[in-house]
Amino acid sequence: MSGAITCSATDLAVLLGPNATEAATYICSQLGDVNNKFIDAAFAIDNTYLLFSAYLVFSMQLGFAMLCAGSVRAKNTMNIMLTNVLDAAAGGLFYYLFGYAFAFGSPSNGFIGKHFFGLKDIPTASADYSNFLYQWAFAIAAAGITSGSIAERTQFVAYLIYSSFLTGFVYPVVSHWFWSVDGWASPFRTDGDLLFGTGAIDFAGSGVVHMVGGIAGLWGAFLEGPRLGRFDNGGRAIALRGHSASLVVLGTFLLWFGWYGFNPGSFNKILVTYETGTYNGQWSAVGRTAVTTTLAGCTAALTTLFGKRLLSGHWNVTDVCNGLLGGFAAITGGCSVVEPWAAIICGFVAALVLLGCNKLAEKLKYDDPLEAAQLHGGCGAWGLIFTALFAQEKYLNQIYGNKPGRPHGLFMGGGGKLLAAQLIQILVITGWVSVTMGTLFFILKKMKLLRISSEDEMAGMDMTRHGGFAYMYFDDDESHKAIQLRRVEPRSPSPSGANTTPTPV
């Protein structure tokens, strides 16, 4: 702990006069006890902060579940909800056994960690149980992103396989590269051998979390092909709208709330002083990070609102929700190292990136029910580039260690080295996830374990795979009218000649 109280009985005895050694020893021992209490309090405060942040990030699973449920048709509600539950459950086990060790098992090499399997030797001075819980919540967030891309037509066993593989191996390796003290592109490297003198800056995971989940979903959805009815015989896109805008909005607000653990919580500690005796500490940086997160999301939401109005003529709430989340995904990488005004630029461009990616997906006949690949992959990549353009040198030095002349944002006068590091991050994440997850989905497809049958897809996975619908619903107005007509039809006359009352359906 910096600024620890020190005391020397020998030095103090001189000040107290002759025969004062015992008094000096006693005073120093008391000061030592006070100092230890301060150290204990610092550990307790930082661990409590990290645990609270982990709870917030975990609450995003509920947001993902509600968002996914509202974005699919009612006949697939139980299926998509169950996959979200299992992302957390399977991810928890595999991240405990392998994932955390591959990500943060230091000392290790630049590619993959090799300690802490099954949390062996935890806690240490640099790793505690709270850190595992926080990182697990991040890992299952990446898996949840992927599940949205392949919704409504994927076999249940494929969900279990890809979720375990992603959280236990693919995602941890990427997080080791950019967040571990041993990672080859990490700004936290302790040997000073930083990529382009800076390392790749991805504070809370625009690349590590969002691009990984988005690109994995891209390959899954591409290899499966579009849902039945998504494009007509002429190739024209047909909207297969989700069944509940209410659930989409609820999920979006829950994700917004959880993002305040996702981004500000990524400091891991809050009791860090930048200038002793002043307001300038990590607690202030935490607040600034929450502000930049908010401004980026809000700007992206409004940009999407008016952009979709111009394109379609409607004020569409689900599009606005996706735009908001795209702004959050983009600002995540640089939220702690940019000024609030720059976050507005980030959100504005993120909305345009999302709109452009959606148009491109439609032209290529690519079908993603939640726009997850476009939102998290596209906006996540923009977030890394944005950081390379607007990162402030003073904030980088506060968070990643003071390094005079550190490369920072290109538009902030920091040169192009950080931009080079960020572009390399985009390329290696795309390549790694494509090779690993693309291969896995290809193997599942060849083994006929990826996509369900056309009959099951038309009937709905809730009925064919999960024992029944989540709730009663109507596919179209005609079926609704038919049931209403049945409500008013009288029964056949009873033996006594009297008609019975209408029977409700």
Side-chain angles (χ1 to χ4, degrees):
M1 177 180 173
S2 60
I5 300 173
T6 59
C7 181
S8 168
T10 302
D11 294 340
L12 190 60
V14 175
L15 299 176
L16 294 175
N19 302 321
T21 302
E22 291 185 2
T25 301
Y26 174 77
I27 293 172
C28 283
S29 68
Q30 294 301 305
L31 289 175
D33 290 341
V34 171
N35 180 62
N36 289 336
K37 291 294 184 182
F38 278 125
I39 294 174
D40 294 343
F43 279 122
I45 291 169
D46 287 336
N47 271 275
T48 301
Y49 175 73
L50 188 58
L51 281 171
F52 180 72
S53 297
Y55 304 151
L56 284 177
V57 177
F58 179 70
S59 73
M60 296 175 78
Q61 289 300 119
L62 178 57
F64 277 126
M66 296 297 100
L67 180 70
C68 289
S71 298
V72 301
R73 290 163 291 179
K75 62 184 179 182
N76 296 309
T77 304
M78 288 179 63
N79 173 262
I80 197 67
M81 296 280 275
L82 183 57
T83 62
N84 276 270
V85 173
L86 288 177
D87 280 338
L93 185 60
F94 280 87
Y95 198 73
Y96 162 76
L97 292 173
F98 311 107
Y100 187 76
F102 288 150
F104 299 102
S106 182
S108 63
N109 55 61
F111 178 77
I112 193 170
K114 56 183 182 180
H115 296 284
F116 306 147
F117 290 98
L119 296 188
K120 184 180 180 181
D121 299 326
I122 295 288
T124 68
S126 59
D128 207 338
Y129 294 106
S130 55
N131 186 256
F132 163 79
L133 194 72
Y134 188 67
Q135 297 300 334
W136 159 71
F138 270 59
I140 60 176
I145 292 167
T146 306
S147 68
S149 295
I150 58 178
E152 297 202 287
R153 70 249 200 225
T154 306
Q155 291 193 46
F156 191 66
V157 66
Y159 280 113
L160 288 174
I161 294 171
Y162 98 76
S163 182
S164 302
F165 185 58
L166 183 67
T167 55
F169 180 66
V170 178
Y171 166 82
V173 170
V174 177
S175 56
H176 179 81
W177 293 349
F178 302 106
W179 288 347
S180 169
V181 294
D182 301 311
W184 64 269
S186 172
F188 298 105
R189 284 185 69 93
T190 53
D191 61 7
D193 186 17
L194 301 176
L195 180 67
F196 292 107
T198 175
I201 304 298
D202 188 11
F203 182 72
S206 285
V208 174
V209 178
H210 295 284
M211 280 192 67
V212 167
I215 294 170
L218 173 68
W219 280 106
F222 171 74
L223 289 170
E224 280 189 318
R227 292 167 291 171
L228 295 177
R230 179 66 177 90
F231 299 96
D232 64 17
N233 293 332
R236 187 169 57 97
I238 299 173
L240 300 179
R241 299 190 181 280
H243 79 282
S244 176
S246 300
L247 288 178
V248 170
V249 172
L250 175 61
T252 300
F253 273 114
L254 287 169
L255 288 169
W256 189 340
F257 179 67
W259 235 291
Y260 292 126
F262 205 95
N263 286 3
S266 290
F267 282 95
N268 291 344
K269 297 179 179 181
I270 193 170
L271 195 58
V272 176
T273 302
Y274 297 154
E275 295 179 22
T276 303
T278 72
Y279 58 83
N280 189 16
Q282 198 139 285
W283 47 87
S284 179
V286 166
R288 183 184 67 249
T289 300
V291 170
T292 58
T293 301
T294 303
L295 291 175
C298 293
T299 305
L302 292 174
T303 305
T304 306
L305 173 70
F306 291 105
K308 290 297 289 187
R309 170 67 175 178
L310 292 174
L311 292 172
S312 66
H314 302 291
W315 307 101
N316 192 308
V317 65
T318 56
D319 289 331
V320 171
C321 288
N322 279 342
L324 177 84
L325 299 177
F328 288 151
I331 194 61
T332 294
C335 55
S336 64
V337 296
V338 300
E339 295 286 0
W341 60 262
I344 296 175
I345 299 174
C346 178
F348 177 78
V349 177
L352 301 181
V353 169
L354 180 58
L355 293 172
C357 287
N358 284 336
K359 280 292 183 182
L360 179 62
E362 191 173 298
K363 287 185 178 295
L364 296 176
K365 298 181 178 57
Y366 169 81
D367 181 24
D368 186 327
L370 275 89
E371 302 175 6
Q374 302 95 297
L375 193 160
H376 298 278
C379 294
W382 155 242
L384 296 179
I385 296 172
F386 161 78
T387 303
L389 301 178
F390 292 95
Q392 296 281 348
E393 183 179 12
K394 63 178 179 179
Y395 296 150
L396 288 169
N397 284 332
Q398 288 173 352
I399 297 167
Y400 298 103
N402 191 30
K403 186 178 185 297
R406 174 191 290 273
H408 51 284
L410 178 63
F411 292 168
M412 301 295 104
K417 289 185 176 180
L418 180 56
L419 178 59
Q422 301 299 86
L423 292 175
I424 287 178
Q425 181 178 5
I426 293 172
L427 291 174
V428 297
I429 289 177
T430 302
W432 170 253
V433 179
S434 297
V435 169
T436 53
M437 294 302 296
T439 302
L440 175 65
F441 283 125
F442 180 78
I443 293 172
L444 291 174
K445 181 178 181 178
K446 288 299 182 182
M447 296 177 66
K448 301 187 184 305
L449 294 175
L450 186 58
R451 184 159 184 161
I452 60 174
S453 67
S454 298
E455 293 78 13
D456 287 355
E457 187 175 345
M458 291 299 294
M461 297 180 70
D462 288 0
M463 180 60 72
T464 59
R465 302 298 175 105
H466 303 289
F469 296 123
Y471 33 66
M472 293 301 298
Y473 72 97
F474 305 105
D475 270 330
D476 51 53
D477 290 339
E478 293 303 318
S479 61
H480 181 63
K481 291 176 181 177
I483 291 178
Q484 291 294 349
L485 288 173
R486 288 176 58 196
R487 288 180 181 274
V488 299
E489 289 178 357
R491 288 179 180 169
S492 300
S494 64
S496 61
N499 287 337
T500 59
T501 57
T503 303
V505 177

